[in-house]
């Protein structure tokens, strides 16, 4: 049984005061909930204060990006050990906004994924097609390229720890989510790709999330699908009531 994950990607939102008030409220709303891994990914400037508040609770900390080097002259970057130091257990990698605005390539995402796994950070690797690719029937080939780029860097002993988020770019922040059936088909396709490389036993352990306009109204549909193991939530994670309702809808116990 795969434990579902609900991860909130706050993106470039919330200053320190706002982060504190959001996560304090969330902590109270999700207190005692088990059977789902709850993750918040605030901006870098809020990681420390958020960690102070969620210490010892059922909420885990994630970052939104990192570099692959450990230390050195890389102005503006944050290293994997720095994320561990501040208390992160998860890190989002290869979000479409990073691929689009910062030109991150699938090879770079693979390098980051390898390093994240090596320091025991759980990578949430994002993949997904844009509208033009969807409309020209290229969804599967785009996903295949993004997933297969990870393989040379991922050892079979660590592969089961990867979390994938299928986030169709046209569904992000648009209020127009994928249908749960379509998302499930793509997520099954992703699992088959892992299965052909690492075997079905490992593939069955990998958690694959859906992301893109997830809200309190559609979360049940996604969670009812056979292969969807949770959600990466953007906008709705900035509101504690909606985020905690999404968490509650996802728990398996
Ligand atoms: P929205 O939930 O706001 O569509 O964002 C999805 C996302 O990009 C999460 O990483």
């Amino acid at each position: 049984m795969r434990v579902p994950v609900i991860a909130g990607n706050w993106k470039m939102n919330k200053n320190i005061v706002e982060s504190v008030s959001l996560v304090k409220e969330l902590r109270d709303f999700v207190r005692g909930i088990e059977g789902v891994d709850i993750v918040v990914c605030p901006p870098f400037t809020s990681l420390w204060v958020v960690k102070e508040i969620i210490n010892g609770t059922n909420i885990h900390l994630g970052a939104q990006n990192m570099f692959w080097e450990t230390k050195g002259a890389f102005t503006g970057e944050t290293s994997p050990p720095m994320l561990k130091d501040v208390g992160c257990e998860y890190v989002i990698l290869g979000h479409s906004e990073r691929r689009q605005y910062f030109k991150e390539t699938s090879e770079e995402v693979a390098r980051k994924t390898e390093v994240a796994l090596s320091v025991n950070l759980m990578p949430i690797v994002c993949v997904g097609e844009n509208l033009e690719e969807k409309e020209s029937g290229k969804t599967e080939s785009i996903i295949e390229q993004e997933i297969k780029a990870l393989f040379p860097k991922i050892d079979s002993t660590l592969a089961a720890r990867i979390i994938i988020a299928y986030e169709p770019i046209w569904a992000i922040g648009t209020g127009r989510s994928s249908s749960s059936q379509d998302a499930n088909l793509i997520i099954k396709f992703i699992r088959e790709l892992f299965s052909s490389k690492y075997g079905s036993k490992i593939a069955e352990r990998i958690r694959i999330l859906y992301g893109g306009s997830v809200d309190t109204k559609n979360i049940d549909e996604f969670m009812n699908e056979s292969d969807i193991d949770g959600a990466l939530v953007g906008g709705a994670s900035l509101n504690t009531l909606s985020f905690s309702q999404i968490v509650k809808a996802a728990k398996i116990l």
Side-chain angles (χ1 to χ4, degrees):
M1 176 75 85
R2 297 182 293 265
V3 177
V5 181
I6 297 294
N9 176 7
W10 295 6
K11 308 194 178 183
M12 200 173 70
N13 294 295
K14 303 292 172 188
N15 63 24
I16 291 177
V17 170
E18 292 163 347
S19 299
V20 167
S21 101
L22 180 68
V23 83
K24 274 189 174 164
E25 201 173 72
L26 180 66
R27 181 188 57 183
D28 296 339
F29 281 16
V30 301
R31 197 185 299 275
I33 294 180
E34 290 173 12
V36 50
D37 290 341
I38 309 167
V39 185
V40 289
C41 304
F44 285 107
T45 45
S46 292
L47 286 173
W48 175 255
V49 278
V50 167
K51 181 63 190 171
E52 295 268 284
I53 293 160
I54 62 178
N55 247 336
T57 72
N58 55 351
I59 305 176
H60 302 269
L61 191 66
Q64 299 174 18
N65 181 35
M66 63 167 210
F67 193 42
W68 55 73
E69 293 288 350
T70 304
K71 61 177 179 175
F74 303 103
T75 302
E77 292 295 326
T78 309
S79 76
M82 287 167 179
L83 294 188
K84 295 282 289 184
D85 190 36
V86 77
C88 288
E89 296 171 77
Y90 294 78
V91 60
I92 298 172
L93 296 175
H95 192 281
S96 60
E97 287 148 19
R98 297 216 55 86
R99 294 180 192 255
Q100 186 183 348
Y101 302 127
F102 305 100
K103 305 290 172 252
E104 274 193 24
T105 65
S106 293
E107 289 64 38
E108 289 168 340
V109 175
R111 237 175 129 176
K112 292 181 177 190
T113 307
E114 178 186 27
V115 180
L117 288 170
S118 76
V119 299
N120 212 15
L121 276 167
M122 265 180 296
I124 303 176
V125 180
C126 304
V127 298
E129 80 287 2
N130 65 29
L131 188 59
E132 193 191 324
E133 290 157 349
K134 172 186 160 66
E135 284 175 349
S136 53
K138 292 196 189 126
T139 299
E140 294 200 348
S141 65
I142 294 291
I143 303 289
E144 186 167 352
Q145 178 265 322
E146 290 179 336
I147 294 290
K148 283 191 170 168
L150 297 169
F151 293 167
K153 296 284 184 195
I154 309 301
D155 191 88
S156 61
T157 57
L158 297 173
R161 290 177 61 81
I162 294 184
I163 299 170
I164 301 291
Y166 168 54
E167 297 207 309
I169 296 166
W170 48 268
I172 295 178
T174 57
R176 179 188 162 205
S177 64
S178 164
S179 76
S180 61
Q181 296 90 333
D182 285 353
N184 197 46
L185 284 176
I186 298 296
I187 285 174
K188 276 187 164 178
F189 173 69
I190 295 172
R191 204 177 299 288
E192 277 158 22
L193 292 171
F194 275 100
S195 182
S196 62
K197 172 70 181 171
Y198 299 100
S200 60
K201 258 185 148 166
I202 288 177
E204 284 303 317
R205 288 172 55 200
I206 294 175
R207 292 179 291 178
I208 311 180
L209 320 180
Y210 168 77
S213 296
V214 170
D215 59 27
T216 52
K217 292 189 280 304
N218 58 27
I219 184 65
D220 284 331
E221 276 171 50
F222 288 112
M223 292 313 299
N224 282 336
E225 294 290 344
S226 61
D227 274 62
I228 303 182
D229 302 316
L232 182 55
V233 185
S237 73
L238 298 173
N239 177 299
T240 30
L241 193 58
S242 10
F243 191 64
S244 57
Q245 276 177 20
I246 292 169
V247 165
K248 285 172 192 161
K251 76 187 186 91
I252 44 170
L253 297 179

